[in-house]
């Protein structure tokens, strides 16, 4: 079965940039939509961004539009989240997800990573 492993999280200052990576292993994620979610302490997990298999379609939460960019490298089975102009409210555990779907964006995701912590100080 497929596995997703996130990396790149850490502690940064407000206004800084950070790039997260999610590597797929155990299976080839061909034709699969990949996405990022995040969950802050005491809150529900929320959608951040999604990208189709070809990379031609993307979707972003309003809170990150213009600041975050999602992309993927299918040859490396990896999806990225470039985060610019980070704010303290971006502090959360960021999760990678994937779903086999012909509709974009999918309503649900089957595969999930374990998350990577991003902390933005003021």
């Amino acid at each position: 079965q497929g596995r997703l492993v996130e990396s790149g999280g850490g502690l940064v200052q407000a206004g800084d940039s950070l790039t997260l990576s999610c590597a797929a292993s155990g299976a080839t994620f061909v034709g699969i939509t990949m996405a990022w979610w995040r969950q802050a302490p005491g809150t529900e997990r929320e959608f951040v961004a999604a990208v189709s298999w070809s990379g031609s379609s993307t979707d972003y939460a309003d809170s990150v539009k213009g600041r975050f960019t999602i992309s993927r490298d299918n040859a490396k089975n990896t999806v990225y989240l470039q985060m610019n102009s980070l704010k303290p409210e971006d502090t959360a555990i960021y999760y990678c997800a994937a779903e086999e779907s012909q509709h974009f964006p999918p309503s649900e995701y089957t595969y999930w990573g374990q998350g990577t912590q991003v902390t933005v100080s003021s």
Side-chain angles (χ1 to χ4, degrees):
Q1 64 176 21
R3 293 183 61 189
L4 304 174
V5 180
E6 303 94 336
S7 63
L11 174 64
V12 298
Q13 297 275 22
D16 284 354
S17 297
L18 195 64
T19 299
L20 305 182
S21 298
C22 173
S25 64
T28 302
F29 285 72
V30 176
I32 295 180
T33 294
M34 300 189 74
W36 290 93
W37 271 263
R38 66 187 182 187
Q39 186 169 20
T43 71
E44 289 284 320
R45 186 176 300 180
E46 66 175 353
F47 171 79
V48 176
V51 60
S52 63
W53 178 81
S54 67
S56 62
S57 298
T58 58
D59 189 35
Y60 296 93
D62 288 341
S63 60
V64 306
K65 284 182 179 178
R67 299 189 298 120
F68 291 10
T69 302
I70 187 171
S71 63
R72 65 193 298 169
D73 185 338
N74 290 336
K76 297 181 179 179
N77 291 322
T78 301
V79 63
Y80 306 94
L81 185 67
Q82 174 66 48
M83 304 182 292
N84 298 324
S85 302
L86 283 164
K87 306 174 181 179
E89 50 262 47
D90 294 318
T91 295
I93 299 176
Y94 283 71
Y95 297 90
C96 180
E99 175 65 27
E100 299 174 357
S101 177
Q102 295 183 341
H103 176 74
F104 185 86
S107 57
E108 301 289 342
Y109 290 83
T110 301
Y111 303 97
W112 292 86
Q114 293 184 333
T116 184
Q117 177 70 46
V118 173
T119 302
V120 184
S121 66
S122 59

